[in-house]
Amino acid sequence: MKKAVVTGSYSTKVGELEGATCMSLHTEAGLGALADAGLAVSEVDGLLCAYSFTEPHLMLASVFAEYVGMKPAYASAVSMGGVTACMLVMQAAALVEAGYCRHVLVVTGDNRLSGMRGNAVQALAEVGNQQYEQPYGMTIPAAYALVAQRYMSEFGVTSEQLAAIAVTMREHAVLNPKAHMKTPFTVDDVMNSRFIATPLHLLDCCLISDGGAAVVVSAADAAADLKKPRIDILGTGQGHTHEYIVAAPSLTDYGCKRSAADALGRAGLKPSDIDVVEIYDSFTITLLAELESMGFFERGEAGAAAAAGDLKIGGKLPCNTHGGLLSYGHSGAAGGMFHVVEAVEQLRGEADGRQVEGAELALVHGDGGILSAHCSVVLGRA
């Protein structure tokens, strides 16, 4: 029996949520995950939060604990960009496995779409090394466009193949009543949308959304009486190669190669064993690069696989079955947590209308920065 299990999960609606705040989204997501697990606030002895751009706090976990009347034995907040959610799940598992906590609430949320103003926008705009990148106008899309250009040059990836990824994510979002965007589009629509940073079009880029999501990670022996089927945390891993893209040792190999290998190795599995993957997709090229680096496809094959429909529900490797960051929604650290919640729902058999038949094993992956920091989590149906 595994020592750490997911016992509760919840995600809010996403999109432009009138009146939403960082704390309201944290509260809805956190209390929703506890209700899903059948736990009271008083039963939680561990609390992990991420960060907020719209309401920055030096001690966000303490702020949230006070807000909902929680008095945890352990509390912390982590800020590692898009990889944060998976890292928090990994940390929560370590806490219960080490015996420090019995039930850890992991909660994320931000009103990125309706609440981004002034300094928050500036903070996102100032990506890149202050000496070698910022003075030349580096943006996040431009950095990922650099990766896309290299893949096109080295492995023959085409814009149409990247567009097929975006189309697949939208098809999945259409099946999800909570998704931010549910209007279908075609490869031609992606190709005809305006360039953001060549070769990335508008529809190759993720959304900006309001939303929150949370999970409860419990010690396995504390989960026996809880109402929902537990999901085992089978293996976790991290990988870090650089912070700034100017210092990346490669534009085709990233820390996800190590994080996935470690997570799968600790689970005693290989990529071909996985039934469904929920992988960070800030841009279409992000998903393609990570699928290949992690060993789900050989070099140069993921684009063709996407065009052939292999990433669709019912395909060879269903991917981002909720619609991903590209179409479900992206709200900072909550964007990564949406992937975790979707994996839990798939493994429980609760993904109504988009269920992957017979899903027993899932891999969730998050990355932060410009493919800088990586964390992989393997989950299994108990």
Side-chain angles (χ1 to χ4, degrees):
M1 180 183 292
K2 295 297 176 181
K3 295 180 180 179
V5 297
V6 178
T7 54
S9 69
Y10 183 87
S11 61
T12 71
K13 290 182 179 179
V14 294
E16 186 169 9
L17 307 178
E18 185 177 356
T21 66
C22 162
M23 204 49 56
S24 74
L25 292 166
H26 271 68
T27 301
E28 180 185 346
L31 297 184
L34 290 178
D36 185 61
L39 291 169
V41 170
S42 60
E43 295 176 274
V44 175
D45 53 5
L47 173 64
L48 298 176
C49 292
Y51 57 90
S52 169
F53 267 63
T54 61
E55 297 178 41
H57 292 287
L58 291 176
M59 300 167 64
L60 184 57
S62 296
V63 172
F64 175 74
E66 181 179 72
Y67 195 81
V68 298
M70 186 180 295
K71 295 179 173 58
Y74 183 98
S76 180
V78 174
S79 178
M80 286 291 285
V83 73
T84 304
C86 283
M87 283 185 169
L88 292 177
V89 172
M90 183 177 182
Q91 183 178 350
L95 285 169
V96 301
E97 288 172 356
Y100 287 105
C101 301
R102 301 288 282 168
H103 300 290
V104 181
L105 176 62
V106 183
V107 60
T108 60
D110 216 359
N111 54 326
R112 282 283 182 96
L113 179 57
S114 64
M116 290 283 280
R117 302 287 187 274
N119 291 338
V121 175
Q122 185 68 17
L124 275 179
E126 291 178 348
V127 66
N129 184 284
Q130 293 181 349
Q131 183 174 0
Y132 298 111
E133 294 178 342
Q134 285 186 20
Y136 305 100
M138 175 65 81
T139 65
I140 294 175
Y144 278 92
L146 181 66
V147 175
Q149 293 280 17
R150 181 58 179 266
Y151 264 83
M152 288 179 165
S153 173
E154 190 163 339
F155 301 118
V157 173
T158 67
S159 291
E160 288 81 1
Q161 290 172 345
L162 293 178
I165 291 175
V167 170
T168 298
M169 298 305 102
R170 184 57 63 91
E171 289 177 357
H172 292 171
V174 168
L175 302 174
N176 193 330
K178 288 185 177 180
H180 186 167
M181 292 293 182
K182 294 188 284 290
T183 302
F185 56 66
T186 66
V187 167
D188 285 342
D189 291 331
V190 180
M191 298 292 291
N192 291 326
S193 63
R194 63 186 175 90
F195 279 116
I196 299 300
T198 309
L200 299 178
H201 297 81
L202 175 66
L203 295 177
D204 285 302
C205 306
C206 67
L207 302 172
I208 299 174
S209 314
D210 300 335
V215 296
V216 180
V217 176
S218 304
D221 61 354
D225 296 330
L226 299 184
K227 63 179 186 178
K228 285 294 183 76
R230 71 172 193 266
I231 302 300
D232 289 334
I233 300 176
L234 300 175
T236 58
Q238 291 189 28
H240 306 268
T241 54
H242 65 281
E243 168 58 19
Y244 301 114
I245 196 70
V246 70
S250 169
L251 288 179
T252 56
D253 268 323
Y254 299 98
C256 53
K257 186 174 185 177
R258 175 175 179 174
S259 70
D262 285 352
L264 289 166
R266 288 164 180 156
L269 300 169
K270 53 187 183 299
S272 59
D273 294 322
I274 300 299
D275 300 311
V276 59
V277 292
E278 309 293 346
I279 296 177
Y280 204 79
D281 55 327
S282 49
F283 299 87
T284 50
I285 188 60
T286 314
L287 180 55
L288 184 146
E290 291 179 341
L291 285 169
E292 293 186 356
S293 278
M294 289 190 284
F296 288 103
F297 295 96
E298 297 297 325
R299 292 297 184 187
E301 292 186 356
D310 290 350
L311 304 184
K312 296 183 179 183
I313 297 168
K316 294 179 180 178
L317 185 68
C319 181
N320 294 351
T321 47
H322 59 316
L325 306 176
L326 288 165
S327 281
Y328 179 83
H330 192 359
S331 185
M337 191 61 79
F338 295 146
H339 288 67
V340 179
V341 170
E342 176 67 12
V344 171
E345 292 185 357
Q346 286 288 342
L347 297 179
R348 285 177 170 176
E350 296 177 346
D352 295 339
R354 59 185 192 282
Q355 181 66 48
V356 175
E357 185 176 355
E360 295 184 356
L361 294 167
L363 183 140
V364 186
H365 181 79
D367 85 73
I370 312 300
L371 291 160
S372 308
H374 298 263
C375 184
S376 304
V377 179
V378 178
L379 301 174
R381 190 166 65 196

